[in-house]
Amino acid sequence: MSHIPSVKLFEEAKKLAVDIKTRESEIKNKERSQIPQQEMPAQDPIERIGNMEEVTYGYSAEQAYVEAMRCLQCKNAPCIKGCPVGINIPAFVAQITKGDYQRSVGIIKESSLLPAICGRVCPQEVQCQEPCTLGKILKDKNKSVSIGRLERFVADWERQQGKVSIPEIKPSTGKNIAIVGSGPAGITVAADVRREGHKVVMFEAFHKPGGVIVYGIPEFRMPKRIVEDEMKTLEKMGVEIRTNFLVGRTRKLTDLLEKDGFDAVFIGTGAGLPRFMNIEGENLVGVFSANEYLTRANLMKAYERGKADTPIFQARKVAVLGGGNVAMDSARMAKRIGAQKVSIVYRRTEVEMPARIEEVAHAKEEGIEFHLLKNAQKILGDERGCVKAMECISYELGEPDESGRRRPVVIKGSESIMEVDTVIIAIGNDSNPLIKQTTQALVTNKWGNIIVDENCKTSIDRVYAGGDIVLGAATVILAMGQGRIAARAINNLLEGRT
Ligand code: FAD
Ligand code: SF4
């Protein structure tokens, strides 16, 4: 594995850290804003497409110190308002400059349970880093303080010390809570209600808990051992996790409340139902939803060819339709599984892409081709029913639509053929309809998302919901934020405060 670019970054940071430390108390804001932003060290692109290991290494202690010294410690701290769970960012960053990492991670954990996960996958550039004063001074929001990288640094430090503490649990209340779904929303609720002394049982349809961060986001971006450790912490807290348990089939939601003795239920079942293009050729061999492709590769470890039981299609020329994180993950996974040519096909431009900037940059470094202002309108098959090509059409950008992004407008007569043998569709997910179909009284909107009030309470008494099943496909931190709200409401209900 080549470490050369990263070693250079580490050496530069070492020199800078010594220089800054000797004059720390004299350093004024003007000089702070001139301290160079610390790049994230990463595996060499040529080598990393041949392995599944995490792409980024994380900051060294010196890099974290230098980056933390860039923070202006603004009194109004706009970054806190940009964080969906309101982490006290200037306070945790200041503790890094003092070398008190334990205190730093403690401050984060007052607001966020999963900093090693959020520090890796949160879209900080559109959350806490977007309003950062430093980014505004430098007139480049990409030059804001690297809050997410610093969060990851202290969370990883805590894990490496083996110092992850098990929260204190209050004496048993005799109340029982069922959590349906073990993603970030369910994990947050489980921890917050268990702390109050309630018994918690978590039901998960898959054979492994963790939700999308286990079965969707690939190992090279989100190492599974981190999620496994979080699940172990929950179990050490006394949360019972029942896998291979599909609520709606194994037991109905109403059974949990009326027959199984649960005092409250939280539904955090996510948005796992893939959307399709509804174009000709979508049933051909070689067409996948991103969900299926990534689940096979991640959860079933299909990338371990020869060892895993689950087969995966041996693709050579792949087109991934979509421009979000799911599309980037699918494209980068296909490359690692051995595809020779992988293309992202997206009907807008890079500016409108919902994927994180870092993921787009990593995909480009790994040789993923970007075909922008283009989309598939037909998938063409050979005589055996296998994909052989895609008929595409080109677009130009028109007026903004309801999402504020400029609407793609078809350019007539711009059809072209792209030769591919695999098409991965990554254009979004809807919620799984099973619980709704088996629970008449549960009110959902036209997309199947559960409707909740400001406390995340559903239309059914004692039933709460949060995360992607309510928000539609969203983010880890937003799912956790809703989990926090629901847990507070459940705790209040069971303690007779409502
Ligand atoms: P989920 O994580 O979807 O978990 C729901 C769980 O419920 C699943 O384990 C499912 O098996 C289980 N379940 C469903 N139905 C039932 C049932 N009937 N009975 C029992 N269990 C059930 N977000 C980011 O912030 N940053 C990223 O970089 C990012 N990248 C992503 C990449 C991919 C490939 C995908 C798919 C999503 C990505 N997201 C990202 C989105 C993020 O992962 C989700 O918003 C988040 O996981 C939602 O959490 P959740 O708890 O609501 O649901
Ligand atoms: Fe520091 Fe930026 Fe937050 Fe100001 S806005 S406190 S510079 S992270």
Side-chain angles (χ1 to χ4, degrees):
M1 204 182 293
S2 164
H3 291 265
I4 291 157
S6 301
V7 168
K8 188 163 167 265
L9 295 178
F10 293 148
E11 289 305 325
E12 282 170 4
K14 257 189 199 162
K15 282 193 210 132
L16 207 50
V18 171
D19 173 48
I20 297 172
K21 198 139 214 140
T22 49
R23 307 178 292 110
E24 199 182 284
S25 57
E26 299 153 26
I27 292 180
K28 300 276 175 296
N29 271 1
K30 191 161 180 232
E31 193 179 341
R32 277 179 193 264
S33 64
Q34 285 157 4
I35 297 174
Q37 186 186 38
Q38 294 301 292
E39 260 178 65
M40 179 57 110
Q43 273 195 68
D44 180 82
I46 304 289
E47 293 189 12
R48 71 186 188 227
I49 55 170
N51 67 58
M52 283 287 163
E53 283 161 38
E54 189 170 15
V55 166
T56 52
Y57 294 126
Y59 276 164
S60 65
E62 290 84 6
Q63 280 188 297
Y65 171 75
V66 172
E67 189 62 30
M69 282 300 289
R70 296 177 70 228
C71 176
L72 308 173
Q73 293 294 317
C74 314
K75 290 243 161 21
N76 62 342
C79 48
I80 300 181
K81 293 178 204 102
C83 169
V85 294
I87 295 175
N88 189 345
I89 292 163
F92 100 74
V93 173
Q95 292 303 327
I96 297 179
T97 65
K98 293 180 189 155
D100 191 346
Y101 305 145
Q102 190 70 61
R103 177 83 198 100
S104 177
V105 73
I107 293 169
I108 300 173
K109 285 196 165 175
E110 285 164 17
S111 314
S112 168
L113 265 185
L114 308 171
I117 295 173
C118 295
R120 283 174 165 79
V121 302
C122 266
Q124 291 101 5
E125 61 274 16
V126 292
Q127 294 177 340
C128 54
Q129 289 175 197
E130 180 155 56
C132 170
T133 313
L134 185 62
K136 299 242 172 343
I137 292 174
L138 299 174
K139 296 192 173 57
D140 182 353
K141 67 175 182 173
N142 298 319
K143 291 272 186 284
S144 296
V145 175
S146 305
I147 300 167
R149 293 171 181 176
L150 291 174
E151 181 178 354
R152 167 182 167 170
F153 171 76
V154 284
D156 284 358
W157 174 85
E158 190 193 37
R159 285 170 41 77
Q160 280 152 16
Q161 308 302 305
K163 283 192 176 175
V164 180
S165 54
I166 307 298
E168 204 179 309
I169 311 292
K170 290 188 183 162
S172 171
T173 60
K175 306 276 186 196
N176 297 312
I177 326 288
I179 313 268
V180 187
S182 63
I187 295 174
T188 307
V189 180
D192 282 5
V193 295
R194 178 69 195 124
R195 268 199 278 247
E196 293 304 304
H198 309 309
K199 182 169 187 283
V200 179
V201 183
M202 186 179 247
F203 299 102
E204 167 55 49
F206 274 129
H207 63 281
K208 264 198 184 165
V212 166
I213 43 182
V214 167
Y215 76 78
I217 305 181
E219 176 75 23
F220 56 80
R221 204 152 72 78
M222 183 67 249
K224 305 294 166 242
R225 62 177 191 282
I226 295 175
V227 191
E228 279 161 16
D229 286 350
E230 295 301 340
M231 301 316 296
K232 276 189 204 140
T233 304
L234 276 190
E235 285 183 308
K236 283 184 194 152
M237 288 170 72
V239 173
E240 186 188 336
I241 303 172
R242 288 195 208 160
T243 50
N244 296 314
F245 195 114
L246 184 64
V247 174
R249 283 269 182 282
T250 323
R251 285 307 264 161
K252 288 196 185 141
L253 184 75
T254 43
D255 295 337
L256 299 178
L257 285 168
E258 292 161 16
K259 298 182 185 163
D260 301 341
F262 286 101
D263 298 286
V265 177
F266 174 78
I267 310 173
T269 46
L273 188 71
R275 278 187 212 144
F276 284 91
M277 301 277 290
N278 296 321
I279 55 174
E280 201 181 310
E282 254 178 323
N283 289 331
L284 291 166
V285 176
V287 181
F288 293 87
S289 71
N291 256 43
E292 182 191 342
Y293 192 78
L294 288 171
T295 305
R296 274 173 186 268
N298 290 322
L299 194 66
M300 318 299 183
K301 296 208 167 167
Y303 60 83
E304 291 186 344
R305 268 179 259 142
K307 283 199 226 155
D309 291 337
T310 308
I312 200 155
F313 194 73
Q314 188 50 62
R316 285 183 309 110
K317 290 185 185 168
V318 181
V320 180
L321 309 183
N325 288 321
V326 184
M328 298 307 138
D329 285 345
S330 307
R332 297 172 69 198
M333 180 60 91
K335 194 88 186 181
R336 280 163 176 76
I337 294 180
Q340 289 149 15
K341 185 173 163 158
V342 184
S343 307
I344 291 275
V345 178
Y346 180 58
R347 61 191 188 134
R348 292 177 157 111
T349 71
E350 201 174 314
V351 179
E352 289 83 24
M353 271 192 174
R356 296 189 58 205
I357 294 168
E358 186 174 274
E359 304 315 328
V360 175
H362 281 158
K364 284 185 181 168
E365 285 170 10
E366 290 167 13
I368 309 293
E369 292 179 14
F370 282 64
H371 295 259
L372 303 173
L373 290 167
K374 217 174 223 201
N375 205 0
Q377 59 175 17
K378 207 188 273 180
I379 303 170
L380 310 172
D382 62 16
E383 62 290 344
R384 294 169 305 136
C386 298
V387 173
K388 68 167 188 188
M390 222 167 57
E391 186 184 293
C392 296
I393 185 107
S394 294
Y395 290 79
E396 58 192 356
L397 289 183
E399 293 302 309
D401 62 14
E402 58 283 356
S403 72
R405 295 181 302 172
R406 289 180 65 192
R407 193 187 298 273
V409 181
V410 166
I411 304 174
K412 282 198 187 125
S414 63
E415 288 83 357
S416 58
I417 298 289
M418 186 186 266
E419 244 187 67
V420 288
D421 56 26
T422 307
V423 179
I424 303 175
I425 299 170
I427 55 166
N429 283 325
D430 289 319
S431 54
N432 191 313
L434 181 62
I435 293 189
K436 165 65 190 158
Q437 281 164 0
T438 51
T439 320
Q440 290 308 314
L442 193 65
V443 177
T444 57
N445 65 16
K446 63 176 175 181
W447 297 284
N449 301 323
I450 298 176
I451 296 179
V452 295
D453 68 11
E454 68 283 3
N455 293 316
C456 288
K457 189 183 158 296
T458 69
S459 52
I460 305 178
D461 269 353
R462 299 187 283 137
V463 178
Y464 296 76
D468 281 6
I469 187 68
V470 168
L471 300 167
T475 62
V476 169
I477 194 75
L478 290 174
M480 285 174 57
Q482 284 212 313
R484 269 263 136 105
I485 296 170
R488 201 176 308 126
I490 294 172
N491 287 332
N492 285 340
L493 173 84
L494 299 183
E495 284 151 30
R497 290 199 292 262
T498 51

